[in-house]
Amino acid sequence: MEYFLQQLINGLTLGSIYGLIAIGYTMVYGIIGMINFAHGDVFMVGSVTSFILVLIGGVSFGLSGNSAGIIILLALVLVVAYAMLVSSVYNWTIERVAYRPLRGSFRLAPLISAIGMSIVLQEFVRIAQEARPKPIQKLVTGGYELMSKQVGEQTFAVTITNMQIFIIISTLVLMTAFTFIIQRTSLGRAQRACEQDTKMASLLGINVDRTISITFIMGAMLAAFAGMLFFLHYTETDFFVGFAAGIKAFTAAVLGGIGSIPGAMMGGLLIGIIEVMWSAYFSVEYKDVAAFTVLVLVLIFMPQGLLGKPEVEKV
Amino acid sequence: MSAPVKASSAGGEAKVLSPAEIAKDLVITAIITFFILVPIVAIRTPLDQGTLTWHPRFGLAAALCGLVVVGRLALYLFVWNPKAKAALAPADASAPLKAVKGPSLGDRLGPKVAPTLLILAIALPFFFIIIGNADGMFPGWDRRGIDFAITVMLYVMLGWGLNVVVGLAGLLDLGYVAFYAVGAYTYALMATKYLPAWFGPEIKPYAFFISLPIAAILASLWGMILGFPVLRLKGDYLAIVTLAFGEIIYQVLQNWSVFTEGPRGISVPKLTFFGIPFDKSDGGFAATFHVGYNRIVYFAFLYFVILALALLTYFVTKKLRRLPIGRAWEALREDEIACRSLGINTTSTKLTAFAIGAAFGGMAGAFFAVRQEFISPESFKYIESAFILAIVVLGGLGSQIGIVFSAIAIIGATEAFREMEFLKYVLPEGTEPVQFRMLAVGVALVLMMRFRPRGFVTKREPTVYLKEKKAVSGDLVAEGHG
Amino acid sequence: MTRAWEINPELEVQHLTMRFGGLTAIGDLSFNAARQQITALIGPNGAGKTTVFNCITGFYKPTEGMLKLNHEDGKSFLLERMDDFRVNREARVARTFQNIRLFTGMTVVENLMVAQHNTLMRASTMTIGALLGSRHYKRVEADAMEKSKYWLEKVGLTDRADDPAGDLPYGAQRRLEIARAMCTEPRLLCLDEPAAGLNPRESDELNKLLLSIRDDHKTAILLIEHDMSVVMGISDHVVVLDYGRKIADGTPGEVKANPDVIRAYLGVEDEEDDAEGKAAAAVVHEAVDHTPVAAAVLEASLETPRVAEKAPARKAAGPELLKKPRGKADDLKLIWGVGPAFEKLLNKVGVWHFDQVASWTSADIDHVDALLKGFHGRIRRDDWVNQAKKLASGWRPDNDIGERPATVKKPAPKAAKKGGRK
Ligand SMILES: Nc1ncnc2c1ncn2[C@@H]1O[C@H](COP(=O)(O)OP(=O)(O)O)[C@@H](O)[C@H]1O
Ligand SMILES: [Mg+2]
């Protein structure tokens, strides 16, 4: 029971990260009906950028796990703000260069272009930053013991680390802000209009190009945030983290019902929990296999996902 | 002063920009490039005595940034400029895009191309042997040349195999490497474990030729097992699920050590001349056929084996296209709904495409294993699938001849990166030219989709005709729904 | 009088209902299609005709109802339980599509060969036989070629046999699609607006082709068509749909004289914000104008004082109705869902002003609904009352696309647009 609880906490933490990435997939799919294959790599760019900044902070400004809490928080805010900016620029550029010119081209064109873009990003970062994983000291340390139990000689404690609290709370805050934007602002309305019918939206005077760009930027910001959390959580990152995380986040988006933002978050949490539980109770080696299998099963048996609307193929 | 034009991407309508607007655009370009390069390129994070540290690399970043801005300026001046355009293409200045979208070089290839290529392919190893052995001209080129030819031929075969799925049936398969892996491991395990266990060690020299059909059958079986559940999926979903399948196979190879030896890999026996080894022994090839021993003979034989396999792929596919099943594949790519309204079972049609594509992949995999003499999961990563896909896409989806040229071009370029020593002086320290190979492939995919989405050969050859055979222009050919 | 479609029909549609989310595209529809006859399915745009086809051919699984196909030899098929490709392969139902679906990158003759896939596939002994060059396959392939030639001749495309289908002009593409469907040797051929976009000469040729298919090939035809000259000219039986429900069913003559049918057609104009709707409305009007009988009936129905006379008598129970406008009449066309013809009818009934509409209670709506037979709940569906309230208070739709007031739900969600790029 205690073990399960601990895994649940770990799963929720990981799931929050997947959920944040999944939103980017879901929003882009909603608005232009394609999988942004490069989204996982935009997440990676966010992750690597925050790594570099944290490293600079550590080497040149003495930032470490022992610094005062407020300083760490301040540093992280700066880091994530810049990482969001960088990721946004990347995703915006990708859309401009690789997807926008292909609107109206044949069906596979944007998809292949996206695959190309994903390779470009990975290789670009690999060449610029070398392929080695980049480890770093734990920045957010400490935590709370929720309960403990004596098992023979050993005590088993259920703990929640400050890092986990940070991840869960910041995800909640971000999600709330985000839901507000989508539901209450004219920007959100424009996005929803484009989702339903791009042509109609443009007839009604909505600037579709701009709305799509902003969607990509928003997705990138969330992905960058997730990238930083991911790197802080695992205290390591490299050019390849976007690949597996990207597929899993995509799985989350599909599981939640592609096009649905709460669905993406829910799917993310589920995938996080499934992955962690699988590692805890079955085998760590096959955790990715478990997540990918979920993707396949969901697509086959429940293609509309948990919160998505079933779609009848228009003939 | 000529007023440059910026080709608006959305509608293709050209907008004339004033110098001030261009300046503004360049400033924006610079800012965007700044964020792209800082910090990913501008900061290096090397290991220094066991701990990570950082070094600025601002010079490089500034140079790249300058390059992008100057490049864009050049585009404004020379490409997006109506006058420059008129000078470049005086015949149809009114339709500027036509110059890009006209018939490609590939489409001007006559009917004699295929036989010519075949003769060249057969003559190739002899050519390399001659120039390699001609005194002092190209020392070592016999071995290297043939090696290169083997690699190209292997990828041509993989391209042709994937072409059945992606080019003909229009299903975007990103997990093709899984079948390649199944073939490779089939041969490796058959040759090292099962065949000797079942039939005794004498079987070993024949292992490859026994394993080859088994590899094909197992791979196509896997194609069907994997294909059956996912083929109901549409569009992008199919792509990502096949990708996930490819990854699952990779992970299983990596982790199921009892069976696959995991990351340690498996060493596999060399190819034999239908049982006769290529060595200096009495029973060896040289002794049996009374020729002098030369290692190059082995490589030439490898080459002819892969050539034969590739030709098998070529002719089977070519023939299948003219049979109802092949026609159904193409119809499926054109319009799946119409197919179903005509009573075509699209699931089984897709499944056969998957299975046949996989069978060719499996055979190529077995060959890969025997050629490398060693396999490990590392050779079967997603990026390999993407590489093969790039060859098919660049060649022109559905075109067999196009794939030959794109395989030569892509692998040639890869090799060229290796050769380009001079690049080392231009490149930042710590980077090798060869590292840029996949980057170049990625860039090529994006550029191809933008400027020549139909690849090198865009024309489609009809499978049946009443009076005369006319090639179908690529603009009419659909590319499937994923 | 017994009618051909009532005894031993080729197709029986019983209580067919199809819902998309909240939208009922077809509600409890029953009709039959007779053997070797042409049955026309008509109705305004969005009436659900194509949806009926999609249910028959297995592309949509109906929410409720039964679709039974009876072959002459006594075999019956429940189409709603069959996969789409089985409907063609086993029940032998072929179809064409409203937006032509040819294999554009394949040549004309290839299109016809693909249609004979199942015959050829059977002959190819799992492809292996054919791959090894079996004689039997070669013979069957030659026969298939002969059949393709026959149909090419029949639709006049022999000269273009080796051209890509996508290069053909529109009319030829329509004919090719019919030829392709016929190559599957169907017992029932479903044609979705085959005459749309054809010029009169082509339309005439189409009529001949369809009659020949019916008579020479003994094939039943189910025809969706807006072109009344085609419908009235060649069909043996007409079924009229409006908003997913059957409003008339009979011989062309009977249907032409049915006032409900005429109203339904007038209603087409409420689609005017939709380019397709506009075109279709134009087609219908043209058709009605060109068909003397229908035009006469239309005139008659507009002139009949029947409705207007009844209205004052029931004044006490119903809403306020005026013989004449108070001063200048409001432009009722500003209400989304009201076109010029509806406005005329409303005026006849005694409705001239927005405030009149705005004051309607639920009972009043039912009352007016009843007065305007054939409206089938349009007033509620498009929420005329709230629209009129806004209009009465001075609000005007602010662009010429005709933006609807926010309270009005789009009655028919347009197709799922996702991934529809091509
Ligand atoms: N796949 C679908 N999803 C949602 N609504 C649909 C779908 N197909 C048809 N409809 C709706 O059903 C109604 C009837 O459409 P349709 O059968 O195409 O009309 P018709 O062919 O008579 O013009 C329309 O309101 C249409 O929007
Ligand atoms: Mg229709």
Side-chain angles (χ1 to χ4, degrees):
Chain A
M1 183 60 213
E2 282 72 20
Y3 187 59
F4 177 80
L5 213 64
Q6 181 67 64
Q7 299 311 326
L8 196 64
I9 294 175
N10 297 348
L12 284 176
T13 317
L14 187 61
S16 305
I17 297 178
Y18 290 153
L20 287 175
I21 313 173
I23 292 173
Y25 278 112
T26 246
M27 284 195 347
V28 167
Y29 194 92
I31 207 159
I32 57 174
M34 73 167 280
I35 299 175
N36 179 7
F37 250 88
H39 189 68
D41 300 293
V42 170
F43 155 81
M44 176 272 293
V45 165
S47 184
V48 171
T49 304
S50 30
F51 151 74
I52 297 173
L53 298 184
V54 168
L55 180 75
I56 294 177
V59 172
S60 307
F61 301 96
L63 182 72
S64 79
N66 302 326
S67 310
I70 186 76
I71 301 220
I72 293 180
L73 194 65
L74 207 67
L76 289 186
V77 169
L78 286 177
V79 165
V80 83
Y82 192 75
M84 280 176 160
L85 184 61
V86 170
S87 288
S88 305
V89 169
Y90 270 85
N91 219 16
W92 179 87
T93 313
I94 290 171
E95 195 267 331
R96 284 300 292 259
V97 172
Y99 306 157
R100 187 174 300 181
L102 302 182
R103 266 185 240 156
S105 184
F106 67 96
R107 189 78 185 87
L108 290 187
L111 199 58
I112 292 173
S113 190
I115 292 165
M117 220 45 200
S118 151
I119 297 175
V120 168
L121 285 193
Q122 266 177 38
E123 293 297 307
F124 179 67
V125 176
R126 188 173 65 90
I127 293 166
Q129 293 294 324
E130 297 155 35
R132 247 180 311 105
K134 309 281 186 178
I136 202 151
Q137 270 188 340
K138 251 199 173 65
L139 204 55
V140 181
T141 52
Y144 301 92
E145 195 174 300
L146 298 181
M147 56 168 95
S148 68
K149 186 182 161 191
Q150 198 75 31
V151 184
E153 300 275 281
Q154 291 171 321
T155 46
F156 185 85
V158 180
T159 55
I160 180 162
T161 62
N162 284 337
M163 187 65 224
Q164 288 175 323
I165 296 175
F166 179 63
I167 291 177
I168 292 172
I169 290 185
S170 55
T171 303
L172 276 179
V173 170
L174 221 57
M175 272 302 289
T176 319
F178 204 73
T179 314
F180 176 81
I181 292 178
I182 297 281
Q183 291 191 339
R184 297 289 159 79
T185 65
S186 65
L187 169 69
R189 261 198 302 282
Q191 274 175 330
R192 279 177 290 147
C194 290
E195 254 171 55
Q196 294 209 328
D197 189 336
T198 320
K199 214 181 263 163
M200 194 65 189
S202 76
L203 279 176
L204 291 174
I206 290 171
N207 186 340
V208 173
D209 279 349
R210 218 191 72 195
T211 311
I212 291 176
S213 282
I214 292 176
T215 307
F216 271 81
I217 288 174
M218 283 164 79
M221 288 167 82
L222 293 182
F225 199 97
M228 186 193 73
L229 295 180
F230 185 87
F231 143 72
L232 289 178
H233 185 59
Y234 286 102
T235 64
E236 189 177 280
T237 192
D238 62 38
F239 74 99
F240 202 58
V241 292
F243 181 72
I247 304 183
K248 286 178 206 164
F250 177 77
T251 308
V254 173
L255 182 60
I258 198 126
S260 152
I261 290 173
M265 203 61 226
M266 204 164 92
L269 293 179
L270 275 173
I271 289 291
I273 291 170
I274 289 171
E275 182 178 331
V276 167
M277 293 293 170
W278 185 275
S279 320
Y281 290 98
F282 300 101
S283 76
V284 190
E285 291 89 33
Y286 289 108
K287 69 182 163 81
D288 288 355
V289 174
F292 298 160
T293 310
V294 170
L295 171 68
V296 176
L297 293 181
V298 169
L299 278 177
I300 293 163
F301 295 108
M302 208 175 49
Q304 78 279 12
L306 294 171
L307 299 185
K309 290 159 255 144
E311 229 176 71
V312 183
E313 178 184 29
K314 183 90 173 169
V315 177
Chain B
M1 178 74 221
S2 57
V5 166
K6 187 185 172 209
S8 163
S9 41
E13 82 274 28
K15 203 164 51 193
V16 180
L17 292 188
S18 71
E21 281 170 312
I22 293 177
K24 190 177 149 208
D25 180 274
L26 291 180
V27 170
I28 294 174
T29 307
I31 294 173
I32 285 169
T33 318
F34 174 86
F35 286 113
I36 286 178
L37 297 174
V38 179
I40 302 264
V41 171
I43 309 286
R44 229 159 71 79
T45 54
L47 267 178
D48 184 20
Q49 289 158 2
T51 55
L52 282 169
T53 177
W54 68 280
H55 294 310
R57 202 158 45 174
F58 292 127
L60 176 68
L64 284 177
C65 192
L67 210 63
V68 171
V69 172
V70 170
R72 199 162 165 91
L73 181 64
L75 282 177
Y76 272 122
L77 290 182
F78 304 116
V79 181
W80 295 332
N81 177 326
K83 282 197 185 156
K85 218 178 258 168
L88 282 176
D92 43 26
S94 58
L97 284 179
K98 205 140 184 208
V100 185
K101 293 208 170 140
S104 74
L105 193 63
D107 293 334
R108 276 181 243 131
L109 300 172
K112 296 211 178 70
V113 183
T116 314
L117 281 178
L118 179 60
I119 291 169
L120 279 181
I122 293 171
L124 203 62
F126 302 107
F127 169 75
F128 281 126
I129 290 172
I130 290 168
I131 66 159
N133 292 325
D135 275 337
M137 262 227 300
F138 299 98
W141 265 71
D142 45 355
R143 169 77 203 274
R144 275 179 64 191
I146 292 178
D147 242 10
F148 176 72
I150 292 174
T151 310
V152 169
M153 211 40 95
L154 180 61
Y155 279 100
V156 167
M157 174 166 180
L158 285 167
W160 281 341
L162 184 59
N163 183 42
V164 172
V165 186
V166 183
L168 294 183
L171 306 163
L172 189 52
D173 178 2
L174 290 181
Y176 192 61
V177 79
F179 310 124
Y180 190 44
V182 168
Y185 273 86
T186 303
Y187 169 60
L189 294 173
M190 279 286 169
T192 55
K193 277 195 200 166
Y194 297 105
L195 288 178
W198 293 337
F199 304 104
E202 312 80 60
I203 198 85
K204 255 192 171 173
Y206 305 94
F208 179 74
F209 294 99
I210 297 172
S211 307
L212 198 58
I214 303 176
I217 291 167
L218 280 184
S220 66
L221 221 58
W222 273 101
M224 287 201 248
I225 292 171
L226 303 190
F228 195 69
V230 304
L231 288 177
R232 271 188 293 162
L233 301 176
K234 297 243 146 44
D236 312 15
Y237 285 159
L238 180 68
I240 203 145
V241 170
T242 48
L243 187 158
F245 265 143
E247 259 325 274
I248 290 175
I249 297 247
Y250 169 73
Q251 301 264 349
V252 169
L253 292 179
Q254 191 79 281
N255 293 313
W256 193 11
S257 304
V258 200
F259 186 61
T260 65
E261 303 292 331
R264 264 176 301 137
I266 308 175
S267 292
V268 292
K270 277 186 169 192
L271 190 59
T272 61
F273 187 78
F274 307 103
I276 303 167
F278 288 91
D279 58 19
K280 289 180 184 158
S281 69
D282 287 343
F285 182 84
T288 314
F289 292 93
H290 307 292
V291 288
Y293 174 78
N294 189 341
R295 265 175 356 125
I296 205 70
V297 176
Y298 176 66
F299 294 107
F301 182 64
L302 272 179
Y303 174 79
F304 283 113
V305 168
I306 186 64
L307 179 64
L309 288 176
L311 287 177
L312 178 77
T313 313
Y314 177 82
F315 285 111
V316 169
T317 314
K318 202 173 157 75
K319 178 85 190 168
L320 283 177
R321 261 195 80 213
R322 284 152 215 267
L323 294 183
I325 186 69
R327 242 178 255 135
W329 288 338
E330 290 197 80
L332 195 68
R333 173 191 69 197
E334 297 282 327
D335 194 326
E336 177 170 353
I337 287 172
C339 277
R340 298 206 301 245
S341 83
L342 297 171
I344 297 175
N345 182 345
T346 48
T347 311
S348 71
T349 306
K350 289 178 186 177
L351 216 53
T352 48
F354 244 66
I356 288 174
F360 293 136
M363 288 200 269
F367 177 81
F368 173 77
V370 81
R371 178 209 183 183
Q372 296 288 315
E373 297 165 31
F374 170 80
I375 53 164
S376 74
E378 286 312 293
S379 312
F380 308 105
K381 285 183 159 177
Y382 157 71
I383 205 78
E384 194 69 21
S385 293
F387 192 74
I388 304 166
L389 180 71
I391 290 178
V392 176
V393 169
L394 265 49
L397 289 161
S399 154
Q400 292 188 299
I401 295 296
I403 286 170
V404 177
F405 289 107
S406 73
I408 295 174
I410 292 189
I411 296 164
T414 309
E415 292 300 308
F417 272 121
R418 239 187 270 281
E419 296 298 315
M420 284 191 269
E421 292 291 325
F422 69 90
L423 273 179
K424 283 201 177 131
Y425 303 108
V426 194
L427 294 173
E429 60 173 306
T431 49
E432 292 281 326
V434 67
Q435 286 186 321
F436 287 81
R437 109 189 169 124
M438 276 321 285
L439 184 68
V441 167
V443 171
L445 276 179
V446 175
L447 291 182
M448 273 312 260
M449 283 303 108
R450 172 122 182 216
F451 295 109
R452 182 162 276 292
R454 281 160 206 285
F456 182 61
V457 177
T458 65
K459 286 245 160 71
R460 176 183 169 274
E461 199 186 315
T463 60
V464 59
Y465 58 95
L466 210 59
K467 296 194 192 80
E468 56 166 333
K469 204 177 212 163
K470 302 179 203 163
V472 177
S473 145
D475 297 335
L476 294 168
V477 181
E479 241 82 22
H481 358 249
Chain C
M1 186 174 84
T2 50
R3 301 150 182 263
W5 57 86
E6 281 164 4
I7 33 165
N8 188 16
E10 184 80 40
L11 173 74
E12 295 170 57
V13 174
Q14 287 175 16
H15 305 293
L16 177 68
T17 300
M18 181 78 209
R19 291 193 199 97
F20 298 108
L23 173 86
T24 306
I26 309 172
D28 197 24
L29 172 71
S30 303
F31 71 92
N32 288 347
R35 227 176 273 295
Q36 289 171 41
Q37 283 202 346
I38 297 178
T39 308
L41 194 58
I42 65 169
N45 248 21
K49 306 177 299 291
T50 302
T51 307
V52 173
F53 269 30
N54 286 336
C55 290
I56 292 173
T57 49
F59 285 99
Y60 293 169
K61 292 288 159 246
T63 320
E64 279 164 40
M66 188 181 85
L67 296 157
K68 195 167 163 205
L69 192 95
N70 308 304
H71 281 184
E72 227 157 358
D73 60 12
K75 259 192 257 166
S76 285
F77 299 88
L78 290 175
L79 303 179
E80 78 277 8
R81 300 200 187 152
M82 295 168 76
D83 285 337
D84 40 25
F85 72 93
R86 292 224 155 76
V87 170
N88 178 281
R89 196 162 78 180
E90 283 148 35
R92 313 219 71 89
V93 178
R95 71 173 291 179
T96 64
F97 296 87
Q98 185 170 355
N99 40 358
I100 306 176
R101 284 182 176 275
L102 287 171
F103 306 123
T104 50
M106 302 174 88
T107 63
V108 170
V109 66
E110 278 182 306
N111 268 272
L112 300 185
M113 292 299 273
V114 170
Q116 300 174 62
H117 176 81
N118 287 321
T119 321
L120 288 168
M121 203 63 197
R122 240 171 280 129
S124 74
T125 21
M126 300 188 61
T127 302
I128 298 165
L131 205 56
L132 301 175
S134 105
R135 284 255 200 76
H136 172 61
Y137 175 75
K138 286 205 174 111
R139 232 179 0 253
V140 175
E141 195 184 27
D143 291 347
M145 253 337 245
E146 282 310 311
K147 193 199 261 171
S148 305
K149 274 189 214 158
Y150 170 82
W151 279 106
L152 284 175
E153 198 66 50
K154 192 114 181 148
V155 298
L157 287 174
T158 310
D159 291 342
R160 309 223 46 184
D162 296 320
D163 288 335
D167 268 355
L168 297 182
Y170 192 77
Q173 293 201 3
R174 285 247 176 247
R175 276 177 285 141
L176 176 58
E177 212 189 6
I178 297 174
R180 189 180 69 179
M182 284 311 292
C183 277
T184 65
E185 297 193 349
R187 304 301 318 136
L188 174 69
L189 176 66
C190 302
L191 303 172
D192 200 342
E193 304 196 12
L198 301 193
N199 61 36
R201 193 178 51 79
E202 288 174 323
S203 189
D204 225 41
E205 280 169 14
L206 178 73
N207 284 2
K208 287 202 198 93
L209 176 66
L210 297 190
L211 290 174
S212 153
I213 288 173
R214 178 188 72 182
D215 299 332
D216 306 337
H217 292 270
K218 311 272 178 254
T219 306
I221 296 178
L222 192 58
L223 173 74
I224 294 179
E225 194 42 75
H226 281 306
D227 186 335
M228 290 301 150
S229 68
V230 176
V231 172
M232 298 303 166
I234 63 170
S235 47
D236 305 293
H237 171 197
V238 180
V239 176
V240 190
L241 286 187
D242 187 27
Y243 280 98
R245 289 194 284 161
K246 186 168 86 173
I247 57 171
D249 182 346
T251 62
E254 289 165 356
V255 166
K256 254 189 278 194
N258 185 327
D260 280 352
V261 175
I262 292 147
R263 285 218 179 73
Y265 266 93
L266 293 171
V268 164
E269 281 171 16
D270 72 358
E271 296 270 334
E272 69 196 337
D273 66 327
D274 160 349
E276 260 175 69
K278 209 169 202 165
V283 171
V284 172
H285 276 289
E286 208 182 346
V288 173
D289 290 346
H290 289 177
T291 317
V293 187
V297 180
L298 168 64
E299 283 307 308
S301 95
L302 289 178
E303 236 104 280
T304 323
R306 185 175 49 162
V307 191
E309 262 173 8
K310 257 190 211 159
R314 292 172 63 173
K315 201 174 177 180
E320 182 200 9
L321 296 171
L322 306 166
K323 274 241 155 71
K324 264 191 201 126
R326 307 177 228 111
K328 195 173 170 294
D330 288 334
D331 182 6
L332 295 177
K333 291 193 294 293
L334 288 174
I335 299 178
W336 191 83
V338 179
F342 264 173
E343 188 182 33
K344 236 176 170 177
L345 273 178
L346 280 167
N347 290 350
K348 269 229 150 74
V349 173
V351 181
W352 302 93
H353 299 284
F354 293 135
D355 53 21
Q356 280 179 286
V357 180
S359 68
W360 287 350
T361 63
S362 187
D364 292 342
I365 293 176
D366 291 337
H367 182 83
V368 179
D369 238 7
L371 285 180
L372 307 168
K373 269 202 306 181
F375 272 43
H376 294 309
R378 275 167 202 243
I379 301 175
R380 280 212 182 77
R381 179 162 31 220
D382 297 341
D383 200 1
W384 288 11
V385 175
N386 275 323
Q387 286 195 65
K389 274 184 191 151
K390 287 187 86 174
L391 287 161
S393 64
W395 175 88
R396 289 291 178 269
D398 58 9
N399 58 33
D400 44 21
I401 301 168
E403 190 196 333
R404 283 161 236 157
T407 53
V408 181
K409 287 234 177 64
K410 210 172 168 185
K414 292 289 174 261
K417 284 276 153 38
K418 312 273 158 66
R421 291 171 285 121
K422 197 145 185 210

